[in-house]
Amino acid sequence: MTNTEPRRRNRRGEGGKLRDEIIAAALALLDEGGDERAVTLRSVARKAGIAAPSIYPHFADQPSIMLAVVQGEMDKLTTVLREADDNAPRDARARLFAVCNGYLDFANEHPQRYRIMFGGLWTPSVEDTSITDADLDSLGVEAFTLLVDVLGACVEEGIAHASDDLYGDAVALWLGLHGLAHQRAVVRKMPGPADVGDRLIKALAHLK
């Protein structure tokens, strides 16, 4: 629903608040419209109740707004995975399953936003935009690092087959989780057993 009420101007020093309001407006448009085509500078300004030029001190262009949205959602994913790890029993197997299932649950509960984060609803480009390769390379690093840590703990405890490429094994596990999450998001009814997620985690983590 479009915000039609005049917006009270932020006081001096509240620029960060306006930035957050711009991101929230873009996220609301994505939830309503389905993909990044719903997010334009004009539509964001209208949703936030501001003039379009007010966006420029905070964002150079539409892709930089989308990047901020995705960064925020990645931060939420990282928080979810950390909480799953913190609340799991202190053995490596339980931690691994908690983190992996936390990832799958996040994708299942927020399918639209998940697809924005990992492709399909947003196609980022560093050409003719203000975003950089470094911006894109940093997306999801904290969440992925946690997955590496819990998988490494399984190897250290001897419940997963040791590998000389822990990073590569974690990438394979991450991609497997992503594939399952994506299918669940786009397919009306997933075929296969109810425990397919646990089977996938066990196989890709090389659990004994």
Side-chain angles (χ1 to χ4, degrees):
M1 183 175 180
T2 302
N3 183 0
T4 58
E5 295 185 5
R7 179 184 179 279
R8 182 186 65 80
R9 295 185 62 181
N10 287 325
R11 293 187 293 271
R12 185 180 297 276
E14 290 186 334
K17 180 180 178 181
L18 178 54
R19 185 181 188 278
D20 291 343
E21 290 173 355
I22 292 169
I23 295 171
L27 191 54
L29 289 166
L30 288 166
D31 287 341
E32 294 168 7
D35 62 41
E36 66 175 306
R37 290 173 297 181
V39 178
T40 66
L41 294 180
R42 286 187 177 182
S43 66
V44 170
R46 188 164 53 248
K47 175 66 74 173
I50 60 177
S54 298
I55 292 176
Y56 290 112
H58 306 279
F59 298 100
D61 48 24
Q62 187 266 9
S64 63
I65 297 175
M66 289 296 303
L67 176 67
V69 168
V70 172
Q71 287 171 331
E73 294 305 300
M74 287 291 188
D75 289 344
K76 292 176 186 176
L77 172 62
T78 300
T79 297
V80 166
L81 299 189
R82 283 178 175 162
E83 290 177 350
D85 184 30
D86 290 342
N87 293 328
R90 290 297 85 193
D91 67 273
R93 182 187 295 267
R95 292 178 61 207
L96 175 69
F97 276 91
V99 169
C100 290
N101 282 311
Y103 179 97
L104 293 173
D105 289 344
F106 180 91
N108 185 58
E109 292 167 9
H110 310 283
Q112 197 85 340
R113 296 187 182 187
Y114 179 83
R115 291 171 63 199
I116 291 166
M117 294 161 63
F118 290 102
L121 297 183
W122 178 47
T123 306
S125 173
V126 298
E127 297 182 7
D128 300 320
T129 72
S130 65
I131 62 178
T132 66
D133 285 323
D135 291 327
L136 299 179
D137 290 344
S138 68
L139 293 175
V141 168
E142 291 186 55
F144 177 72
T145 299
L146 178 56
L147 184 65
V148 174
D149 289 345
V150 294
L151 181 58
C154 289
V155 173
E156 290 177 5
E157 287 192 11
I159 61 174
H161 294 289
S163 169
D164 58 0
D165 186 12
L166 177 62
Y167 177 86
D169 290 343
V171 169
L173 176 55
W174 180 279
L175 291 176
L177 294 171
H178 174 69
L180 178 57
H182 176 75
Q183 285 300 106
R184 286 176 171 174
V186 300
V187 176
R188 186 181 64 83
K189 184 177 180 181
M190 278 289 295
D195 66 344
V196 64
D198 286 348
R199 294 189 187 196
L200 181 145
I201 295 165
K202 182 178 180 180
L204 292 179
H206 306 294
L207 294 179
K208 297 178 180 179

